[in-house]
Amino acid sequence: MIGVLTCIGVVLRTKLAAQMAYRSHFVLSVLLLIVGDLLVPMITVLVYRSGASLPGWTLHEALLVQGIFGLAKGIAFPLFFGMVGTTLSQVREGTFDLLLLKPRPTLFMTMLSGIDPDDFGRLVSGGVLFGYAISGIRTPSPVQWLLFAAWFLVSLAVLFAFSLLLSGLLFRWVGSSRVYDIFDSVTSFGMYPGTIYAKSFQQLLTYVVPVGLIAFVPASSLLGRAGGGYAWAAASAALFLLAGIFYWHRMLRGYTSAGG
């Protein structure tokens, strides 16, 4: 574990040092990410200011879901979601073979290659939104905070599974950036409270494609609304993660270099 953290730290320092050579580009990229991630919350605020609302959720509670979503992406994207972009470019260019020669597991090297300090801007926007939302709700108890921490780890596991599925797909669907559109389309449902959807669709987002676990369930646990049925959701997330790992390695075995 120490070796893994050391590798991540070295790569982060190296890439951050490289970004500092182009400070204006780095700052502008981070600012654009922050602005882009705050667009949906701004629309939510406008909806509530106009007199409409999401049934059963106050403004701060709805923003809490979106803030947690931003926090999860703010950790996932810079640390391991960059493997999608790494696979996208290196498989197309035929340079992914170099990762196969490294002395560490290929999956780990793919993650390291995809680390991107620019994406920490998402952590800033998510943190600001989360702090604002927390200020407008009843102070959670220590137990609620512990439950939230546990579900937040589940949220990161779900995002990791998505990164595995999308990057694995690129071993065959070579060079297509449409995978990002797939991710945005599917996970956009997770930016809103699950209770606003029909019961059957809510179950789909919780137990089949666990998008609801990214933000809605962690927010519910922080608000004291987590039900006992969510234990099955944790099992669903574990299966989703295992499926992602299996799929990625299965697709890697079918990789034949320079063109998938």
Side-chain angles (χ1 to χ4, degrees):
M1 187 63 180
I2 295 177
V4 171
L5 294 176
T6 301
C7 289
I8 293 175
V10 169
V11 172
L12 274 175
R13 287 198 301 271
T14 302
K15 292 199 172 185
L16 189 59
Q19 293 284 9
M20 288 300 99
Y22 304 95
R23 292 180 179 84
S24 58
H25 171 75
F26 175 69
V27 172
L28 183 60
S29 297
V30 171
L31 288 176
L32 288 175
L33 277 176
I34 292 174
V35 172
D37 286 345
L38 290 177
L39 284 178
V40 173
M42 287 173 62
I43 293 174
T44 302
V45 172
L46 291 175
V47 168
Y48 274 82
R49 290 287 185 261
S50 68
S53 65
L54 300 176
W57 292 76
T58 66
L59 172 61
H60 284 84
E61 290 171 347
L63 291 178
L64 179 64
V65 175
Q66 295 170 357
I68 293 173
F69 192 91
L71 279 178
K73 288 178 65 176
I75 295 175
F77 270 69
L79 293 183
F80 53 76
F81 216 89
M83 65 188 297
V84 178
T86 295
T87 309
L88 174 68
S89 61
Q90 295 193 9
V91 170
R92 179 181 58 203
E93 297 166 1
T95 57
F96 190 85
D97 302 52
L98 298 176
L99 298 182
L100 300 176
L101 302 176
K102 301 294 183 179
R104 286 185 176 267
T106 306
L107 176 57
F108 179 63
M109 294 307 304
T110 307
M111 290 171 53
L112 281 183
S113 300
I115 290 178
D116 188 358
D118 284 1
D119 283 328
F120 278 114
R122 302 178 187 274
L123 190 59
V124 174
S125 57
V128 170
L129 188 59
F130 179 78
Y132 175 75
I134 284 291
S135 68
I137 65 174
R138 186 179 62 183
T139 304
S141 67
V143 173
Q144 289 171 335
W145 278 111
L146 288 174
L147 284 173
F148 166 72
W151 281 114
F152 190 72
L153 291 177
V154 173
S155 170
L156 295 178
V158 170
L159 287 173
F160 183 46
F162 270 111
S163 70
L164 290 168
L165 293 171
L166 295 178
S167 60
L169 181 63
L170 289 168
F171 286 120
R172 293 294 183 184
W173 196 13
V174 179
S176 177
S177 60
R178 304 298 294 180
V179 292
Y180 290 106
D181 296 332
I182 294 173
F183 173 77
D184 290 336
S185 298
V186 173
T187 58
S188 61
F189 296 103
M191 297 189 69
Y192 303 95
T195 53
I196 69 173
Y197 304 119
K199 190 66 175 179
S200 58
F201 192 63
Q202 183 180 343
Q203 291 177 345
L204 174 68
L205 296 180
T206 304
Y207 302 110
V208 181
V209 183
V211 173
L213 303 187
I214 299 176
F216 168 61
V217 175
S220 297
S221 65
L222 200 56
L223 295 170
R225 300 177 183 176
Y230 287 152
W232 292 105
S236 174
L239 290 174
F240 192 63
L241 177 59
L242 290 174
I245 295 173
F246 173 81
Y247 178 78
W248 195 90
H249 284 96
R250 176 73 177 178
M251 297 301 284
L252 178 64
R253 286 197 294 271
Y255 172 66
T256 55
S257 179

